[in-house]
Amino acid sequence: MKFRLRIKKMSPGTVTACVMGVALCLTGCGSSSVPTNQSNSAKTSSSSSSTSGDGTVTYALAPQSNLNWFIPIANSAGSTAANFEMIYELYKPILWINPNYTINWHKSIASKITYNKKGTVYHLYLNPKWHWSNGQPVSSKDVLFTWNVIKAASAANAPSPWPYIGVGAGDIPNGVKSVVENSEHEVTFTLDKPANQHWFIYNGIIQLILMPSAWDIHKNIDNEIKYLGTEASNPSFVKIVDGPFRLVKAVPYQSWTLVPNKNYDGHKSTLKKIVFDYESSNASEFAGLKTGAINVGYLDLSQYTARSELTSMGDTITPEYAFGYSDTQLNMFPGAKTAKIFDHLYVRQAMQMGIDEDAINKDIYHGYAPPTYGPIPTVPATQFLDPELSKPIYPYNASKGLALMESHGWKMQNGILVKGSEKMKFVMLYVSGVQAGQDEAELMKQDWAAEGISVTLKPMPISTFITITSNPKQPNSWQMATGLGWDYNGPGYYPTGGELFGTGAPSGFGYSNSEEDKLIAATHQPYTSDTANLHAFWRYENFTAEHLPVLWNNNAATLIVNSANVHGVAKNYDGPDGNVDMQYWSLAK
């Protein structure tokens, strides 16, 4: 799973930030691909042609996305969609997931996984064709090294900048009894207790985006994770890769340059280089698309009416929907002053009733942000959505929300609900630089005011936003936050909510409920049929949707824009695994 900037851009989703808006985030948006407003007969702009004449494609990152983590095992601050857009080009995932949620073994480091009926023993086989860029084979030694780093970095006393973001997902690492190297290309995982096989493979094993064992220079795991934690933010450290590209230049808050890995064992890129370009705002990115300085980027929904300025040059616009959700986070961390208010379900219910998702979709996202009513989006369509959640549990109704609060003893004073010494008055953070995200935050603020809920908006750069909201050790540094989302990609393809909504969840915000914990645990058990398995999932999904560990927001599409001379962009947008096959991109001759 990766944070997705819900960038209200034209609504793409991006980090769990989906900052209310559009975020290209080619890394984890959805799997559908329908060209919009194309002009196939239009000529490519001369500036675009000159920009790419030397074999270079310039790719726009989501606004204010500074790449600052470069190894494939990350902490919470490093696990952003933008960082992993690059990391997935340098390091191949052990399992590549297709849009239909099957495993693409041809693109995976693994060649197969077998397991027993009890769900306690799993044999992982590596495809021997894969090699590191230094010529060494990708082997079981790399699996063991990566596993030992994950295990040590997940410990409660792990040194800064750890802990590891995926702790708890797929029962990693505490549910694993042993990991044993059987041969150069076979490893056996043995669990402490039976597990749902789909859950453990898709949420557990999938976390092992392998690191080269050549990095294991200390032969002491405590010293090693300190070393890796320091080097993770050093772009010159990642010289040994197994993916289609290498990172050769990095200028913080400016650009990051990739060149093809000549020793890559898969399809090799025909490009000279790909430049990941820092964007200060949606406006600057749009200007880059118009001049041709950017070949692949996005269209923020706030700029939707100006789309003809791009399509008239021959640019193609393609909506992509993430398999994930966007949310508004309520600080329920232990010790947070807001927790005693937000811990009440009726408060969260009233606040959800004050979010007009239909208006947000229509007025801000031009129909590209379908409402979401729980942890599984309504678009794209998947088997995980219970049909009962295709309609809202808490339809927008500010009057009903106000009445609910008043029925629990809250009284309106000077336009704000008050109960004893408590006031429904909060500061809500939102990600700066994305106009659609700001528009959404302002609309929520306006509608909540009708319920007696006063919200002061505070914009913040995404890196600061994530650092503040993901730190339970400083629970009173924020109250509410919006503009992010969560994509179900590694770990988290099997979309149960243990790492999000369970008590003490590493990617949660303090929500805790014993029934939630039981229902999550039930999705982790093996079942005798797919039907029984799905019904257990739906029970978890329905409770979570109703109980509101976060407030649900619209799942905005990313509007991908590519110039007419760049081919293969939408076609190789590979859905839920968060990977983009950039090595298949090409430039017109």
Side-chain angles (χ1 to χ4, degrees):
M1 286 185 189
K2 307 296 181 292
F3 281 121
R4 173 162 58 93
L5 180 56
R6 197 178 61 198
I7 254 178
K8 258 181 183 198
K9 283 176 156 188
M10 188 165 185
S11 162
T14 287
V15 204
T16 246
C18 211
V19 236
M20 298 183 171
V22 142
L24 211 192
C25 187
L26 278 176
T27 294
C29 297
S31 58
S32 59
S33 177
V34 182
T36 301
N37 297 313
Q38 301 184 50
S39 178
N40 294 328
S41 61
K43 297 171 66 177
T44 303
S45 66
S46 58
S47 56
S48 178
S49 298
S50 61
T51 299
S52 56
D54 64 349
T56 298
V57 168
T58 300
Y59 168 70
L61 292 167
Q64 301 184 23
S65 294
N66 181 49
L67 304 189
N68 55 12
W69 189 277
F70 302 96
I71 68 173
I73 303 300
N75 63 2
S76 59
S79 184
T80 67
N83 281 335
F84 272 81
E85 284 181 293
M86 172 168 288
I87 288 171
Y88 281 141
E89 301 305 321
L90 308 179
Y91 297 96
K92 289 187 64 63
I94 199 163
L95 298 175
W96 188 293
I97 307 300
N98 291 318
N100 64 358
Y101 271 64
T102 59
I103 297 171
N104 186 323
W105 296 108
H106 177 71
K107 294 183 178 181
S108 301
I109 289 291
S111 60
K112 66 177 179 178
I113 297 175
T114 63
Y115 47 81
N116 62 0
K117 292 182 179 180
K118 194 175 181 181
T120 54
V121 179
Y122 299 77
H123 296 284
L124 171 68
Y125 297 86
L126 305 180
N127 190 325
K129 82 171 186 177
W130 300 112
H131 292 77
W132 297 105
S133 54
N134 64 0
Q136 293 297 310
V138 177
S139 71
S140 298
K141 290 183 179 179
D142 304 309
V143 175
L144 267 292
F145 171 61
T146 304
W147 168 252
N148 288 331
V149 169
I150 287 176
K151 187 175 181 180
S154 298
N157 62 347
S160 178
W162 307 109
Y164 166 60
I165 180 64
V167 59
D171 221 5
I172 299 294
N174 294 334
V176 179
K177 180 186 295 184
S178 65
V179 180
V180 177
E181 178 183 352
N182 301 323
S183 67
E184 184 178 14
H185 295 103
E186 182 189 351
V187 175
T188 297
F189 290 77
T190 302
L191 308 187
D192 286 325
K193 57 185 180 181
N196 181 302
Q197 292 91 338
H198 295 291
W199 170 74
F200 181 67
I201 291 172
Y202 281 71
N203 286 16
I205 291 177
I206 205 166
Q207 294 186 43
L208 279 80
I209 307 173
L210 301 185
M211 301 184 296
S213 56
W215 287 353
D216 186 12
I217 63 173
H218 294 90
K219 309 305 177 183
N220 175 288
I221 196 60
D222 293 328
N223 291 336
E224 187 66 25
I225 62 171
K226 292 179 183 178
Y227 167 67
L228 291 176
T230 299
E231 295 291 355
S233 57
N234 175 14
S236 64
F237 177 71
V238 291
K239 295 178 180 178
I240 303 174
V241 299
D242 62 351
F245 292 92
R246 297 184 299 111
L247 176 62
V248 295
K249 184 179 180 181
V251 183
Y253 296 100
Q254 184 172 325
S255 64
W256 298 260
T257 302
L258 303 184
V259 299
N261 172 11
K262 295 180 180 179
N263 294 323
Y264 179 58
D265 294 306
H267 179 85
K268 292 181 174 63
S269 175
T270 60
L271 301 174
K272 181 179 179 180
K273 58 186 175 181
I274 296 178
V275 178
F276 282 52
D277 195 52
Y278 177 84
E279 307 301 329
S280 60
S281 66
N282 290 331
S284 65
E285 187 268 348
F286 186 76
L289 288 170
K290 288 177 62 178
T291 64
I294 294 171
N295 309 98
V296 181
Y298 50 80
L299 180 67
D300 187 86
L301 282 176
S302 65
Q303 303 158 326
Y304 187 67
T305 56
R307 63 193 182 280
S308 62
E309 296 181 38
L310 302 178
T311 56
S312 64
M313 301 190 305
D315 287 3
T316 297
I317 301 174
T318 306
E320 298 284 356
Y321 290 91
F323 179 48
Y325 62 85
S326 296
D327 60 16
T328 294
Q329 304 149 12
L330 306 176
N331 188 346
M332 292 178 270
F333 281 138
K337 295 178 181 179
T338 52
K340 59 183 179 180
I341 296 177
F342 294 145
D343 276 344
H344 293 294
L345 175 58
Y346 73 84
V347 171
R348 303 196 299 275
Q349 290 171 328
M351 297 186 77
Q352 185 69 60
M353 292 177 198
I355 299 177
D356 191 345
E357 290 193 68
D358 289 333
I360 289 169
N361 181 34
K362 178 183 177 182
D363 299 336
I364 298 175
Y365 293 108
H366 303 275
Y368 286 101
T372 295
Y373 310 120
I376 302 300
T378 54
V379 178
T382 67
Q383 63 175 326
F384 296 107
L385 179 67
D386 187 331
E388 293 296 320
L389 291 178
S390 60
K391 55 184 181 298
I393 297 176
Y394 305 109
Y396 170 67
N397 191 324
S399 298
K400 187 175 180 180
L402 173 59
L404 177 61
M405 294 292 291
E406 290 176 334
S407 72
H408 284 84
W410 291 82
K411 299 183 183 300
M412 191 76 79
Q413 293 184 8
N414 300 319
I416 300 175
L417 286 172
V418 177
K419 185 178 182 180
S421 61
E422 296 177 341
K423 292 184 178 181
M424 292 297 291
K425 184 176 183 179
F426 310 102
V427 174
M428 184 168 74
L429 310 181
Y430 70 93
V431 179
S432 59
V434 181
Q435 185 61 49
Q438 179 179 329
D439 293 344
E440 185 173 346
E442 290 176 347
L443 181 58
M444 288 192 291
K445 168 187 169 74
Q446 173 184 306
D447 288 340
W448 279 329
E451 293 183 321
I453 301 171
S454 174
V455 171
T456 300
L457 300 180
K458 183 178 180 179
M460 185 171 289
I462 184 173
S463 58
T464 307
F465 183 108
I466 294 175
T467 298
I468 290 176
T469 59
S470 62
N471 185 5
K473 295 180 181 179
Q474 295 183 355
N476 288 302
S477 58
W478 65 289
Q479 297 178 328
M480 297 174 59
T482 196
L484 296 181
W486 196 258
D487 286 348
Y488 293 114
N489 51 22
Y493 289 102
Y494 192 76
T496 61
E499 61 281 351
L500 297 168
F501 310 126
T503 298
S507 297
F509 303 97
Y511 167 80
S512 177
N513 181 273
S514 59
E515 182 64 20
E516 178 85 28
D517 294 341
K518 291 177 183 178
L519 291 169
I520 290 172
T523 66
H524 300 172
Q525 302 303 311
Y527 290 91
T528 57
S529 69
D530 288 342
T531 299
N533 188 55
L534 189 58
H535 285 171
F537 181 87
W538 283 353
R539 286 191 290 273
Y540 144 76
E541 180 188 358
N542 276 276
F543 182 87
T544 305
E546 182 176 354
H547 219 251
L548 300 167
V550 294
L551 303 180
W552 311 115
N553 290 106
N554 302 60
N555 186 32
T558 293
L559 295 187
I560 301 170
V561 179
N562 64 274
S563 59
N565 61 337
V566 180
H567 302 300
V569 176
K571 179 180 179 181
N572 293 293
Y573 193 95
D574 223 354
D577 66 357
N579 295 352
V580 181
D581 277 331
M582 292 186 182
Q583 72 269 28
Y584 288 98
W585 291 2
S586 63
L587 287 166
K589 300 294 184 179

